[in-house]
Amino acid sequence: MKKNVLKKVESLIPKEDRQEILTDIDSLQLSQSSEVFEKASSLFMKKWKVHQELTKYFSAEWLNSNMNWFEGANTLTPSTNNALEAFNRVMKDEDSLRERVSLSRFTVGLIEWIEK
């Protein structure tokens, strides 16, 4: 979602408004319930109505067709983020060296990782 919107924002919006629009979209994504998302979406559309092409696209694509992209849409499913994935990769690359180990060796390594 973010990549598609970023492309659209870069092609339609002047540089001075881009960062604020993207920040507002990030805030929308963090909505914890449908009610909050709907209200925040309404406010987003009002705030940026001056950019009609963007609001038309955003409404059609991300508020009507694909509206379950915010955090609260699927409360029983896990959410990941890039920071978590990056931390996981560092642990695998630097600490475990991506090799399979016995449970006892893994436990010792896990204690070291936590202390680190």
Side-chain angles (χ1 to χ4, degrees):
M1 179 271 178
K2 185 109 180 198
K3 287 180 186 178
N4 293 334
V5 170
L6 180 60
K7 287 178 191 175
K8 205 59 139 168
V9 167
E10 287 176 346
S11 69
L12 297 174
I13 305 301
K15 285 185 180 183
E16 60 270 6
D17 288 340
R18 288 180 191 167
Q19 189 57 47
E20 190 176 355
I21 288 173
L22 294 173
T23 300
D24 288 350
I25 291 170
D26 286 343
S27 296
L28 274 175
Q29 192 270 331
L30 295 174
S31 298
Q32 295 299 313
S33 70
S34 296
E35 295 79 21
V36 171
F37 180 73
E38 288 172 17
K39 183 63 177 173
S41 298
S42 173
L43 293 171
F44 175 85
M45 297 301 284
K46 274 186 189 178
K47 179 178 180 179
W48 297 110
K49 67 182 175 187
V50 67
H51 299 294
Q52 291 179 349
E53 285 186 60
L54 176 71
T55 54
K56 184 178 176 182
Y57 159 77
F58 193 79
S59 178
E61 189 69 27
W62 301 108
L63 300 180
N64 296 326
S65 297
N66 303 306
M67 58 189 200
N68 290 327
W69 54 271
F70 64 99
E71 289 292 318
N74 296 312
T75 56
L76 300 177
T77 59
S79 173
T80 61
N81 61 34
N82 288 340
L84 178 61
E85 296 300 329
F87 179 72
N88 188 25
R89 180 173 181 202
V90 169
M91 280 180 38
K92 286 181 178 179
D93 289 345
E94 293 179 4
D95 297 319
S96 72
L97 303 176
R98 295 191 178 269
E99 64 184 58
R100 294 188 183 270
V101 296
S102 66
L103 182 58
S104 60
R105 187 167 166 209
F106 174 76
T107 305
V108 170
L110 188 60
I111 292 169
E112 291 173 2
W113 298 337
I114 291 170
E115 288 173 352
K116 186 177 165 182

